[in-house]
Amino acid sequence: MKNRIKEFRAKYDLTQEDLARKVGVRRETIVFLEKGKYNPSLELASKVAKALKTTINDLFIF
Amino acid sequence: MKKDKIRLFLISLITITVLATAAIYSFIIVSEEEVTLGSLIPIIIPLIVIGFMFFFITRRYKDIKQGMPLEDERSRKVITLAAAKSFYVSLYWLLAISWFEGFFANKLFGLDKLDASQTVGGGIAGMALLFFAFWFYYDRKGKLI
C-alpha cells in the first residue's frame, strides 16, 4: 500500500529508528511499511498516524 | 522492555543447555563408538538449531540494546508464515525419507538401514532447516502474502 510515511517522517525530522521506537515496532517493519511492502494492521496504522501527527486517511493512499 | 530481556535470557539459557547436552553426547559417541555419519545425526541436529538460535539471539540482542522490541506484529506474522510453510514442505521431506530410506542409509551414511532415531532425527533436521530458510526468506521479502 502506497503511503506518505517518509514525507511525514522528514517533516518532523524523525529517523526510521525514532519512529519505530515511538510506535513500538522493529525498524524493519518501518522500512517495509515505507516501501509499501507491508500492509499494517489497523492498530499499527493508527499508531503510526498518531506518531506522525496525522490521520490514517492522510498517511495511506488507498 | 524488561520482559523482552527476560525472554531473550531464557532463550539463551535453553540454547546453552542444548549446546552442553550436544557436547556431552558427542564426547560419549567419540569415546565409545565408531564414528559414522549416521551416529553424528543427533549431534548435527542440535548444531543446526544452535546455529539458528545464535544468529537469532545476536540480532535480537542488538535490537534490544537500541530500544527496539523483541518482536512486533510483522515479525510474529513472519514466524507464523515460516512455521506453516516449513510444516507443509516437511511433509514432502518426510515422504522422501520414507521412500528413499535405502538411498539415504547406503549412499549417504554407509549403513544397512536407518534406525528410528536416525529417521526421526533426519526429519527434525529437515524441518529445522526448512523453518530457518523460510524465516530468512520472509523476513527479507517484505510482502508476506
Side-chain angles (χ1 to χ4, degrees):
Chain A
M1 189 192 302
K2 285 185 178 176
N3 60 72
R4 296 166 63 203
I5 294 175
K6 199 173 181 181
E7 188 187 321
F8 276 96
R9 205 166 48 73
K11 187 178 166 187
Y12 294 109
D13 197 24
L14 287 170
T15 63
Q16 287 176 331
E17 281 186 26
D18 293 335
L19 183 59
R21 258 187 232 111
K22 269 190 157 194
V23 177
V25 294
R26 299 166 51 72
R27 195 182 71 88
E28 291 92 332
T29 304
I30 299 295
V31 173
F32 286 118
L33 264 178
E34 271 191 15
K35 285 182 185 170
K37 283 186 170 181
Y38 176 62
N39 293 333
S41 65
L42 193 58
E43 189 187 355
L44 180 58
S46 159
K47 279 182 184 172
V48 174
K50 207 172 172 183
L52 295 172
K53 294 167 193 156
T54 183
T55 61
I56 292 177
N57 278 338
D58 283 339
L59 197 59
F60 293 94
I61 301 154
F62 298 100
Chain B
M1 192 56 69
K2 201 180 171 189
K3 222 175 164 183
D4 285 347
K5 279 183 183 170
I6 293 169
R7 274 186 66 186
L8 196 65
F9 173 73
L10 287 175
I11 292 169
S12 310
L13 201 67
I14 292 165
T15 308
I16 291 166
T17 312
V18 174
L19 182 65
T21 313
I24 293 166
Y25 182 79
S26 37
F27 178 74
I28 293 167
I29 289 286
V30 170
S31 60
E32 284 184 359
E33 285 178 34
E34 191 186 323
V35 180
T36 60
L37 195 54
S39 66
L40 288 178
I41 291 178
I43 300 166
I44 294 167
I45 298 161
L47 285 180
I48 292 169
V49 176
I50 288 162
F52 170 71
M53 291 317 290
F54 182 75
F55 178 74
F56 177 84
I57 289 166
T58 47
R59 250 181 75 160
R60 293 298 189 258
Y61 180 71
K62 276 183 205 162
D63 289 341
I64 286 180
K65 261 180 101 175
Q66 287 173 350
M68 305 283 170
L70 191 61
E71 60 177 22
D72 62 9
E73 68 167 51
R74 186 179 171 277
S75 65
R76 273 193 290 270
K77 270 186 192 172
V78 168
I79 286 176
T80 309
L81 197 58
K85 291 272 181 184
S86 60
F87 170 73
Y88 177 69
V89 178
S90 69
L91 293 177
Y92 292 97
W93 168 240
L94 292 173
L95 265 181
I97 291 178
S98 69
W99 283 342
F100 303 109
E101 188 265 341
F103 169 78
F104 285 117
N106 302 328
K107 303 275 184 220
L108 286 181
F109 301 119
L111 302 167
D112 290 336
K113 62 188 291 184
L114 296 177
D115 65 25
S117 73
Q118 288 162 345
T119 312
V120 172
I124 293 171
M127 276 179 114
L129 272 176
L130 281 167
F131 176 75
F132 178 64
F134 278 117
W135 176 78
F136 196 78
Y137 172 71
Y138 284 115
D139 199 40
R140 273 148 189 79
K141 189 189 164 202
K143 283 243 187 235
L144 294 180
I145 294 177

